[in-house]
Amino acid sequence: MSILVPKVTTFVGSAYVSIRDLIKPFQKKRSSFTFFAEEGGSFTSATGIRYSIPPRAFTTRWGRPINDKITIEFLEVRTKRNLFFLGKSSLSNDRLLDVELAIQLHIPEQMGKGIYHQLPIRCEVVFPKQQKLSNLQLFEENISKTKSIFSDEEVDWSPSPYSAFIQKNSTGKILSFNIRQLSTVMLAKQLPKNWKQKQTAMFSVEVEKQGPEMDDLRAFLVFHDSRSIVQLREHRNRFSAF
């Protein structure tokens, strides 16, 4: 089955010159936490996620412990809208991911020079009692063939070697996992891949450029019944995906 979306015309006189310029006002702002690296620390975000940083988790390039203050910026994404503006496709080895939660950890650029993350950061996320967690896996961002939505960086999602553990208490369920690198991780479930030809479709959209051209144009599939986003492949003025 082939689905051809009618032509899409770019706006004449658009005020935006790039994708990054367009989405910047809509991106969720990062929060931050400052601690002494020698002592480690723990904090709970506004959404109730608890982070535990072990002592001496960060070192210099030569493996020497860092004792100074470190500030970590973090971003938590739980909606499809914020997932889109995070700028990440949700594919793992060509399998769709239904994303429950994405966490991005970052050290500000000036401070982060020469700082290396050696010990994992522990996260605890509270879920309601009725929510099923058995299919959730932790995925890490890795270099691969899939491009990040808003950059030319080649990334993909691979299952983490660290397992996520589920504990129950009187109020709900607690899912615990480790973040071993300062980048983005996702808690998600893989959607089943059906190889039946009759259930395979090609989506395609043709763009008609008018007025001042942007630096780049992108097209995406945003799925209705899952938190999944896929970037369509560009060929001349057409964007397509199977």
Side-chain angles (χ1 to χ4, degrees):
M1 179 173 66
S2 180
I3 299 175
L4 179 62
V5 179
K7 287 183 180 180
V8 175
T9 304
T10 58
F11 290 107
V12 177
S14 172
Y16 301 105
V17 295
S18 70
I19 294 292
R20 195 174 296 276
D21 184 33
L22 170 67
I23 60 99
K24 190 174 181 181
F26 302 99
Q27 288 181 309
K28 192 177 177 183
K29 291 183 179 179
R30 292 187 176 102
S31 301
S32 63
F33 173 68
T34 301
F35 61 99
F36 282 100
E38 184 180 19
E39 301 171 1
S42 62
F43 64 98
T44 302
S45 70
T47 64
I49 299 177
R50 182 173 176 80
Y51 298 83
S52 299
I53 305 168
R56 300 182 180 85
F58 297 91
T59 67
T60 65
R61 182 177 302 175
W62 299 277
R64 296 173 184 168
I66 293 175
N67 301 323
D68 299 331
K69 279 185 178 180
I70 289 182
T71 296
I72 286 185
E73 294 180 344
F74 60 95
L75 184 64
E76 300 165 350
V77 171
R78 284 183 133 160
T79 67
K80 194 184 308 188
R81 180 182 185 277
N82 287 333
L83 180 64
F84 177 80
F85 289 120
L86 182 65
K88 306 291 182 183
S89 285
S90 51
L91 280 176
S92 175
N93 194 24
D94 291 332
R95 293 277 297 276
L96 276 176
L97 297 179
D98 187 358
V99 181
E100 179 68 37
L101 168 68
I103 296 176
Q104 188 176 75
L105 297 180
H106 171 77
I107 294 179
E109 189 173 344
Q110 280 188 328
M111 179 183 291
K113 290 181 178 177
I115 294 179
Y116 288 80
H117 183 200
Q118 301 292 350
L119 299 176
I121 295 173
R122 190 73 171 169
C123 288
E124 296 179 351
V125 186
V126 178
F127 290 93
K129 278 184 177 181
Q130 65 273 19
Q131 186 162 348
K132 294 182 180 179
L133 304 179
S134 55
N135 293 330
L136 283 181
Q137 288 180 270
L138 183 66
F139 291 86
E140 296 177 345
E141 191 175 14
N142 287 310
I143 296 172
S144 186
K145 62 183 180 181
T146 306
K147 283 190 176 183
S148 176
I149 288 178
F150 302 121
S151 77
D152 292 327
E153 188 181 36
E154 300 277 339
V155 298
D156 196 10
W157 299 98
S158 298
S160 171
Y162 291 152
S163 299
F165 297 97
I166 303 171
Q167 294 177 308
K168 295 180 181 180
N169 59 21
S170 56
T171 57
K173 299 175 182 175
I174 300 174
L175 189 66
S176 303
F177 56 92
N178 287 334
I179 299 178
R180 61 173 184 163
Q181 54 188 354
L182 292 182
S183 59
T184 307
V185 298
M186 285 183 176
L187 276 176
K189 60 182 178 182
Q190 283 189 326
L191 295 179
K193 193 169 187 177
N194 196 318
W195 291 101
K196 293 182 179 179
Q197 187 63 33
K198 65 180 181 180
Q199 293 188 10
T200 300
M202 185 187 79
F203 293 84
S204 185
V205 59
E206 184 178 349
V207 178
E208 220 173 48
K209 297 180 181 179
Q210 292 187 10
E213 291 187 10
M214 297 175 70
D215 287 345
D216 52 1
L217 291 172
R218 307 289 170 94
F220 315 98
L221 287 178
V222 181
F223 290 80
H224 173 69
D225 55 353
S226 68
R227 283 176 287 245
S228 306
I229 297 172
V230 174
Q231 181 175 340
L232 278 66
R233 296 288 182 177
E234 181 180 6
H235 179 64
R236 295 179 183 175
N237 63 332
R238 185 177 292 281
F239 298 82
S240 304
F242 282 93

